[in-house]
Amino acid sequence: ASFLLLCFRTSLVTALIFSLLLQPPLTQLSIITQPNIVLLMADDLGIGDVGCYGNDTIRTPNIDQLAKEGVKLTQHIAAAPLCTPSRAAFLTGRYPIRSGMDAINNYRVIFWNGGSGGLPPNETTFAKILQQQGYSTGLIGKWHQGVNCESRNDHCHHPLNHGFDYFYGMPFTLISDCQPNETPEMDRAFRRKLWLSTQMVGLVTLTAALGRLTGLISVRWKMLICLAGFSLLFFISWFSSYGFVRYWNCIMMRNHEVTEQPMVTDRTTSLILRESISFVERNKHKPFLLFLSFLHSHTPLLTTEKFLGKSRHGLYGDNVEEMDWMVGQVLDVIDKEGLKNTTLVYFASDHGGWLERQEGKRQLGGWNGIYRGGKAMGGWEGGIRVPGIFRWPGVLSAGTVIDEPTSLMDIYPTVVHLAGGVLPQDRVIDGRDLMPLLRGTVEHSEHEFLFHYCGIHLHAVRWHQKDSGAIWKAHYMTPIFRPLGAGACYDRGFCPCFGEGVTHHDPPLLFDLSRDPSEAKPLSPDTEPLFDTVIRKMGRAIEEHRRTLTPVPEQLSVYNVVWKPWLQPCCGMFPFCWCDKEGDN
């Protein structure tokens, strides 16, 4: 009996050992649990500005280490070449044209905190789904998706109305107007025209008054008073907004409360870092989503004394190196709290670097490496190809490089599935879950076609022909670079999406990015036997894509974009909006 009992015990132990050996590895177990999710997004950072993407003059050791410990994407594509539409697509997993966040005019981003346009309340962000799944959700840094709709305190576009439990940062975006000693950046050309018009109207009024006093001109005093009143009203109508940009747009908020108006730029970086670290420490005992949306590396390139003059790339390089240090500080707190193996970290930029951003001989915008074009250019690769890095130890293999087309929109379904959520079934989601590709269980990206918009205008289409490995890209419209031979629109400061500033191509310009990633040599029917076949295939894809689009309110219409005093966030009694609650603390 004892022998049988011993045999039974031995077989039981053997079976137990085999069952343990046959258990799925840690990788499988980790997928089941809800990981913490940390999304790091740079602002206006070019793909050529990062060491692991080929830059050897700007030091980015922390971002480079993130790539060494995880997965680097070499064809990570923004859904738009500007902040507002790109970030709308990132948050919703949908092309911005679907939510009305792409422009029908030349106002292609949210222009004022006091505007009425923004991310519509009926859009479902990934933050909202993760919030429903029990995550603590926080956004630190830049928002640029609008604030109010109809009244100063309705906060219909605010982060807290889009699934974030906590918000600290800029509801707008960083601009040079936020620095008193910097040249104004916002609507610079239009502002010059307004000043000129004001001076001309004033000069006419003054001339008429002098003529009346000297008797050279016969004009009634009543007419002069009306003319003077018109001049004053015209001046007030535009100066009440453009004359106080720093007070209206350069503000900081904590949740719904304005904490700095205007923001004190000297301490912005340290406050954003402090808030990010504090959010991780407060929420380490439950699943959390942290979206750290950097103000770096957008002009005016706020950089602390510690990093000024330290890079080999001037102020822009200093700013990027400081952002890299901030990335390192956030990763350090994740490690210190023992969260490294249970946290998915993602790093990207919202779009390409701004080539035209210069002051004299100083280059204040980023570099897009070998890729043509930059920020604001809807089709050219330099405006939309961005860094894309994932790290999740034990789940994603370290040192992996994936050369497949992926999109910033893919973050949406990826994090929703990891959190155990369900994608909305009542709308088109353009993003694709990246986990199978990142983990190597599939060879190719799910994206066959990607559509590249500039505002509401379709500029280019990408076709990933998986059986051949070709990545075809057809340009139907391209911006006209000036001066001739330049690589950007230096005459305008921004490339337009339509009108006389673009060239229409029929047949379209065709490139195979797998052979010509710099888009230097367009193909033709003479040089490419598949030319007509590829163009026809893309034409059918465009038709199918357009059938999925439905009319929606235009969030960036002129009415929605203009400043409305009754919508302006204000920490005092409007128009006396001034406070420094951080300084008081």
Side-chain angles (χ1 to χ4, degrees):
S2 60
F3 175 74
L4 288 172
L5 184 62
L6 180 65
C7 289
F8 174 74
R9 285 176 176 170
T10 303
S11 62
L12 189 65
V13 169
T14 305
L16 186 61
I17 290 170
F18 267 104
S19 68
L20 288 171
L21 288 172
L22 292 171
Q23 281 289 320
L26 180 63
T27 297
Q28 300 286 342
L29 293 173
S30 299
I31 295 296
I32 297 168
T33 62
Q34 291 182 320
N36 305 310
I37 295 165
V38 175
L39 308 175
L40 308 171
M41 180 168 282
D43 195 4
D44 284 21
L45 181 75
I47 193 171
D49 293 326
V50 185
C52 58
Y53 283 91
N55 192 300
D56 57 4
T57 57
I58 297 179
R59 293 165 296 188
T60 55
N62 295 294
I63 299 170
D64 299 346
Q65 185 63 29
L66 203 61
K68 284 179 187 174
E69 295 178 359
V71 179
K72 182 177 79 170
L73 305 175
T74 62
Q75 294 188 58
H76 202 39
I77 308 300
L82 281 174
C83 310
T84 295
S86 174
R87 290 163 183 267
F90 175 72
L91 288 160
T92 63
R94 292 152 51 81
Y95 286 108
I97 195 170
R98 297 193 191 279
S99 57
M101 293 292 279
D102 248 340
I104 57 175
N105 49 50
N106 286 320
Y107 290 98
R108 295 162 58 188
V109 297
I110 300 290
F111 252 69
W112 298 96
N113 282 325
S116 53
L119 191 62
N122 63 355
E123 286 293 327
T124 303
T125 66
F126 56 71
K128 190 169 284 187
I129 297 178
L130 266 64
Q131 190 181 54
Q132 293 165 357
Q133 293 301 115
Y135 274 69
S136 293
T137 56
L139 167 61
I140 313 294
K142 170 175 172 171
W143 175 237
H144 210 191
Q145 298 292 303
V147 182
N148 298 311
C149 288
E150 296 177 355
S151 68
R152 182 168 292 125
N153 296 311
D154 67 29
H155 299 121
C156 70
H157 302 308
H158 190 280
L160 267 58
N161 200 40
H162 279 296
F164 290 100
D165 299 314
Y166 183 75
F167 169 62
Y168 178 80
M170 285 191 79
F172 192 60
T173 182
L174 198 59
I175 49 176
S176 292
D177 304 68
C178 297
Q179 288 275 64
N181 57 341
E182 289 281 337
T183 305
E185 172 185 332
M186 185 173 155
D187 233 355
R188 191 183 298 182
F190 184 54
R191 238 192 282 198
R192 279 198 292 263
K193 290 177 183 176
L194 289 171
W195 264 118
L196 183 62
S197 300
T198 301
Q199 289 167 350
M200 289 177 65
V201 171
L203 186 61
V204 168
T205 305
L206 186 61
T207 303
L210 288 173
R212 176 69 174 81
L213 289 170
T214 58
L216 294 174
I217 301 176
S218 177
V219 60
R220 294 179 180 178
W221 283 113
K222 190 175 181 180
M223 178 66 73
L224 280 175
I225 292 169
C226 289
L227 194 58
F230 172 77
S231 302
L232 184 61
L233 284 173
F234 177 71
F235 175 72
I236 291 172
S237 70
W238 70 265
F239 194 77
S240 60
S241 55
Y242 284 105
F244 298 90
V245 169
R246 187 163 161 257
Y247 284 84
W248 301 151
N249 280 346
C250 303
I251 68 174
M252 298 291 284
M253 295 181 78
R254 177 176 284 106
N255 296 326
H256 291 146
E257 181 186 24
V258 178
T259 58
E260 295 179 31
Q261 191 167 13
M263 64 194 291
V264 182
T265 54
D266 290 345
R267 62 175 179 232
T268 304
T269 296
S270 60
L271 288 175
I272 284 177
L273 182 57
R274 184 188 77 183
E275 290 282 344
S276 301
I277 291 172
S278 175
F279 183 84
V280 173
E281 292 173 341
R282 289 198 311 272
N283 295 286
K284 61 187 176 183
H285 297 301
K286 63 179 293 190
F288 65 81
L289 162 71
L290 170 61
F291 178 18
L292 172 48
S293 177
F294 291 103
L295 302 184
H296 298 60
S297 49
H298 199 293
T299 50
L301 303 173
L302 298 184
T303 309
T304 58
E305 193 72 32
K306 179 180 174 183
F307 287 90
L308 284 175
K310 297 297 172 65
S311 80
R312 293 161 57 190
H313 254 292
L315 181 59
Y316 182 83
D318 299 344
N319 194 253
V320 173
E321 291 187 2
E322 180 173 59
M323 180 187 64
D324 178 81
W325 170 77
M326 293 173 73
V327 169
Q329 294 297 297
V330 173
L331 297 179
D332 285 349
V333 75
I334 290 170
D335 292 355
K336 187 187 79 174
E337 298 295 346
L339 303 173
K340 185 172 181 177
N341 292 336
T342 56
T343 302
L344 173 69
V345 179
Y346 166 76
F347 176 84
S349 178
D350 55 355
H351 50 71
W354 190 358
L355 301 180
E356 296 96 341
R357 189 66 177 96
Q358 300 171 330
E359 291 291 349
K361 293 183 178 180
R362 288 198 307 163
Q363 177 63 33
L364 300 179
W367 182 53
N368 301 312
I370 65 170
Y371 304 107
R372 191 172 181 180
K375 175 178 177 174
M377 304 180 204
W380 292 121
E381 206 72 356
I384 53 177
R385 191 183 290 221
V386 297
I389 301 170
F390 289 85
R391 188 193 75 176
W392 188 359
V395 177
L396 304 181
S397 299
T400 303
V401 178
I402 295 177
D403 190 26
E404 289 280 311
T406 57
S407 170
L408 265 68
M409 296 184 291
D410 297 338
I411 303 308
Y412 186 98
T414 302
V415 300
V416 166
H417 287 151
L418 287 174
V422 178
L423 294 177
Q425 302 299 303
D426 62 343
R427 65 199 63 193
V428 176
I429 301 295
D430 298 297
R432 300 289 180 265
D433 184 2
L434 284 177
M435 285 308 293
L437 184 66
L438 297 175
R439 296 177 60 225
T441 58
V442 299
E443 186 179 350
H444 294 297
S445 160
E446 284 189 45
H447 290 289
E448 183 178 11
F449 295 96
L450 285 170
F451 303 92
H452 307 306
Y453 282 91
C454 186
I456 62 168
H457 306 276
L458 185 65
H459 273 213
V461 177
R462 177 185 317 248
W463 175 30
H464 183 203
Q465 193 178 8
K466 298 174 187 178
D467 56 350
S468 71
I471 299 171
W472 306 102
K473 188 163 166 210
H475 290 261
Y476 297 88
M477 282 189 268
T478 55
I480 298 171
F481 293 158
R482 286 198 175 94
L484 292 176
C489 303
Y490 292 102
D491 59 327
R492 296 169 177 259
F494 259 113
C495 283
C497 294
F498 62 93
E500 55 189 36
V502 302
T503 300
H504 294 257
H505 301 283
D506 187 15
L509 297 179
L510 182 66
F511 301 91
D512 179 0
L513 298 181
S514 64
R515 292 178 285 170
D516 181 18
S518 300
E519 299 173 287
K521 299 176 181 176
L523 302 170
S524 68
D526 297 329
T527 60
E528 176 51 64
L530 294 174
F531 185 95
D532 292 329
T533 303
V534 170
I535 296 303
R536 280 197 300 272
K537 177 84 172 177
M538 287 182 165
R540 288 194 294 271
I542 292 170
E543 289 174 8
E544 290 178 20
H545 166 68
R546 283 181 170 153
R547 280 197 289 269
T548 69
L549 301 177
T550 54
V552 291
E554 296 293 345
Q555 297 298 322
L556 301 179
S557 66
V558 172
Y559 174 78
N560 281 330
V561 165
V562 297
W563 182 67
K564 302 173 181 66
W566 60 92
L567 298 183
Q568 176 61 48
C570 180
C571 61
M573 181 67 72
F574 186 86
F576 305 105
C577 303
W578 183 91
C579 64
D580 182 6
K581 296 175 184 177
E582 297 294 346
D584 295 342
N585 293 333

